[in-house]
Amino acid sequence: GENVEQHPSTLSVQEGDSAVIKCTYSDSASNYFPWYKQELGKRPQLIIDIRSNVGEKKDQRIAVTLNKTAKHFSLHITETQPEDSAVYFCAASILGGGADGLTFGKGTHLIIQP
Amino acid sequence: DAGVIQSPRHEVTEMGQEVTLRCKPISGHDYLFWYRQTMMRGLELLIYFNNNVPIDDSGMPEDRFSAKMPNASFSTLKIQPSEPRDSAVYFCASSQVRGYTFGSGTRLTVV
């Protein structure tokens, strides 16, 4: 089955700097790659996703890049703010869009230093 | 829409007892997923349903775990008998082939 590795497990950046979180996956059949943000005691919430026919996607300060050949994808957050502090999870699935289950990475605890 | 509704929010039970977690998906969503979250193992898919039919239960850890979806608006995850290693947050999520919506989770503690 699919295996998703996520790095780093903890990332501390100064407010205003950029943060990058990286994930690799093992199943070349995977086509859908979402990123979730989870605040303490809350549910995971989708912040951005990308499908395999696209190399990059942006939404304001958040971007995701995908390299299907290398089987890795990354989350980029620019101009970080205190409210960006949370745990971020990457995930992968074959069908995507809610039609099959997600395999998650272990998460990255992002800490924004004031 | 109230979103995905899970109950109870917190459950504390003694080892050996039966535990039932409940989920009401978003109306019209035809997929329902159960995930378990622990510090050690992260978020793991346990089972998912499409149109009330179980599609993949390969993530169910052992026979003590069972899940049902008797109709489109209700699902249960049952653990019998419960063990301390079952302590985790259990999330239900639903989707309509446009992305997943998670419930608030049930924090289960088995003592």
Side-chain angles (χ1 to χ4, degrees), chain B residues 1 7 12 14 29 44 49 64-65 71 81 93-94 96-97:
Chain B
D1 196 329
S7 64
V12 180
E14 290 186 350
H29 281 195
E44 305 172 276
F49 297 82
R64 298 185 296 106
F65 286 69
N71 56 61
S94 70
Q96 196 185 25
V97 205

Side-chain angles (χ1 to χ4, degrees), chain A residues 32 34 36 38 41-44 46 51 89 93 96-102 104-106, chain B residues 4 9 31 33 35 37 40-43 45 48 91 95-100 102-104:
Chain A
Y32 176 67
Y36 284 82
Q38 187 178 29
K42 302 282 183 66
R43 75 192 77 188
L46 179 70
R51 294 187 180 273
F89 293 93
S93 74
D100 62 346
L102 295 168
F104 284 88
K106 289 286 194 290
Chain B
V4 177
R9 289 296 309 274
Y31 287 85
F33 304 82
Y35 288 89
Q37 185 173 34
M40 289 298 295
R41 300 175 68 89
L43 272 159
L45 175 67
Y48 76 96
F91 286 103
S95 71
Q96 196 185 25
V97 205
R98 285 189 64 85
Y100 311 79
F102 282 81
S104 297

Side-chain angles (χ1 to χ4, degrees), chain A residues 49-102:
Chain A
D49 58 7
I50 192 167
R51 294 187 180 273
S52 59
N53 58 346
V54 175
E56 182 175 358
K57 185 176 177 181
K58 271 189 176 179
D59 182 3
Q60 299 181 11
R61 297 186 297 108
I62 293 172
V64 58
T65 58
L66 171 65
N67 184 326
K68 272 221 90 174
T69 303
K71 289 193 274 190
H72 77 70
F73 56 113
S74 301
L75 177 71
H76 303 252
I77 305 174
T78 58
E79 300 171 18
T80 53
Q81 300 169 4
E83 54 264 36
D84 295 329
S85 293
V87 179
Y88 291 80
F89 293 93
C90 61
S93 74
I94 294 174
L95 297 177
D100 62 346
L102 295 168

Side-chain angles (χ1 to χ4, degrees), chain B residues 7-109:
Chain B
S7 64
R9 289 296 309 274
H10 302 275
E11 176 82 40
V12 180
T13 190
E14 290 186 350
M15 184 173 63
Q17 296 298 304
E18 177 180 295
V19 176
T20 300
L21 311 182
R22 298 173 175 77
C23 176
K24 177 179 167 52
I26 292 173
S27 177
H29 281 195
D30 46 13
Y31 287 85
L32 184 138
F33 304 82
W34 282 100
Y35 288 89
R36 177 172 68 175
Q37 185 173 34
T38 61
M39 289 295 295
M40 289 298 295
R41 300 175 68 89
L43 272 159
E44 305 172 276
L45 175 67
L46 300 177
I47 185 171
Y48 76 96
F49 297 82
N50 177 218
N51 292 324
N52 315 336
V53 176
I55 303 300
D56 183 356
D57 66 355
S58 60
M60 296 286 262
E62 45 197 281
D63 292 346
R64 298 185 296 106
F65 286 69
S66 63
K68 293 182 179 179
M69 192 164 186
N71 56 61
S73 59
F74 184 65
S75 176
T76 59
L77 178 68
K78 188 175 291 187
I79 308 172
Q80 165 65 13
S82 57
E83 296 182 4
R85 60 194 167 114
D86 301 331
S87 297
V89 179
Y90 291 80
F91 286 103
C92 175
S94 70
S95 71
Q96 196 185 25
V97 205
R98 285 189 64 85
Y100 311 79
T101 300
F102 282 81
S104 297
T106 295
R107 181 173 295 278
L108 173 65
T109 304

